Amino acid sequence: MLTRRDTLLGGLCALAFPHIEAALAAQLSYALSAREVAPGTYVVIGKREYFTMANGGDIVNVAFIDTKDGAVVIDTGSSKRYGLALRQLVERTTGKDIVRVYNTHHHPDHFLGNQAFDPGVIASTEQVTKNISSEGEMLAENLYRLLGDWMRGTHAVTPGVVVADGEEKFGDHRFELIELKGHTSSDLIILDKSTGILFAGDLAFLDRAATTPHASLSDWQESLVALSQVPHKLLIPGHGEPDSEERAINQTRDYLSWLSKTLEQALNNGLDMTEAMSVPIPERFASVALAREELERSVAHLYPGLEDRLLPYIGQGESQAL
Ligand SMILES: [Zn+2]
């Protein structure tokens, strides 16, 4: 299916001015670099920013592991272009084919690079797969509005392999797959048992405010307890620096519990959405990037549901009386 993404500026330039097309492509290139966090385990650290034309959606952590059987990739980034750059980086670094790609969840910064990989090696839970096939194209369209030409030609690709709780082995690496939820309706976390590295997806954020468009804060809090009980040496959050000190789990728990209490209190005090968006943010979250912006977005996501749950329905008495 051809969409605006395929046809906009770059496509027109390609027809009329091939040299402009080449110049645009040069400007829109992701400078991805891999940081080795354990022998053969690499993380590509995204910027702790929201999507902008300047960062092209390079805001997410992805990872890859060099095993004897081939490379294993965790999440694929925000666009087809990002996926292609990631694939090149993985192949260049490991010198191997890619034998498995995991999608941790269906948020656009984590799976829209799928197009660069063989769908037959992309795996996620049944629910993530359903979420990508039902919402993926809409999420890509939304991102196109924020990232413009960075997204050109990007479409949602659904994982071809469904995995459940259990283990997969590639080379000497045993990957334990655990399905949790709360950030979205299904969040796949992956523990590499041979290195003790836990890939937590967006259940854990570090020094970057948690995002809540599909969140259940109570499920998320339960999942963070479960996450803290998974023995690990290093945790790779979806956003923020790799963490060996439980900071990401503790900070995300603290932030979500503050967010949930603050929104309930705001509602009980009669604040409207605009007022709730401007409540003070505690000093202890000063290191947390985008705290104000994400509070504003969280009010928009969560306030209507809280109103339904906490405020009495004043029409009820009348309808019963009638
Ligand atoms: Zn994310």
Side-chain angles (χ1 to χ4, degrees), residues 60 105 107 109-110 183 202 205 211 238-239:
V60 65
H105 62 295
H107 279 168
D109 45 337
H110 295 261
H183 176 64
D202 275 4
F205 284 70
T211 63
H239 302 262

Side-chain angles (χ1 to χ4, degrees), residues 115-275:
Q115 237 173 323
F117 302 89
D118 169 9
V121 304
I122 306 175
S124 198
T125 66
E126 190 174 358
Q127 186 60 48
V128 170
T129 303
K130 280 185 189 160
N131 290 344
I132 289 177
S133 58
S134 61
E135 295 178 50
E137 273 306 307
M138 185 264 289
L139 292 165
E141 276 290 329
N142 276 342
L143 211 48
Y144 173 76
R145 290 190 192 100
L146 297 168
L147 300 179
D149 213 38
W150 287 97
M151 294 292 292
R152 187 150 45 87
T154 302
H155 293 287
V157 170
T158 302
V161 181
V162 169
V163 289
D165 285 359
E167 217 174 84
E168 287 200 309
K169 191 168 182 289
F170 297 99
D172 298 332
H173 291 255
R174 285 187 301 132
F175 296 95
E176 186 176 349
L177 312 176
I178 306 167
E179 183 180 15
L180 297 171
K181 61 182 176 179
H183 176 64
T184 67
S185 56
S186 177
D187 297 286
L188 175 66
I189 65 160
I190 298 136
L191 172 69
D192 183 344
K193 286 181 148 179
S194 50
T195 57
I197 298 180
L198 178 59
F199 302 91
D202 275 4
L203 285 174
F205 284 70
L206 183 56
D207 293 334
R208 196 276 188 220
T211 63
T212 59
H214 298 99
S216 154
L217 298 189
S218 53
D219 287 344
W220 194 342
Q221 287 287 19
E222 276 178 36
S223 289
L224 282 163
V225 173
L227 205 59
S228 69
Q229 289 163 354
V230 176
H232 60 272
K233 288 186 191 145
L234 184 72
L235 179 144
I236 311 299
H239 302 262
E241 285 291 307
D243 170 39
S244 57
E245 296 167 356
E246 298 293 297
R247 282 192 65 227
I249 291 178
N250 290 336
Q251 191 185 71
T252 308
R253 286 172 84 170
D254 187 17
Y255 176 82
L256 293 180
S257 112
W258 168 77
L259 179 65
S260 147
K261 281 189 203 127
T262 300
L263 295 188
E264 283 195 20
Q265 216 168 46
L267 195 68
N268 286 329
N269 291 342
L271 270 55
D272 65 23
M273 282 174 73
T274 316
E275 290 164 331

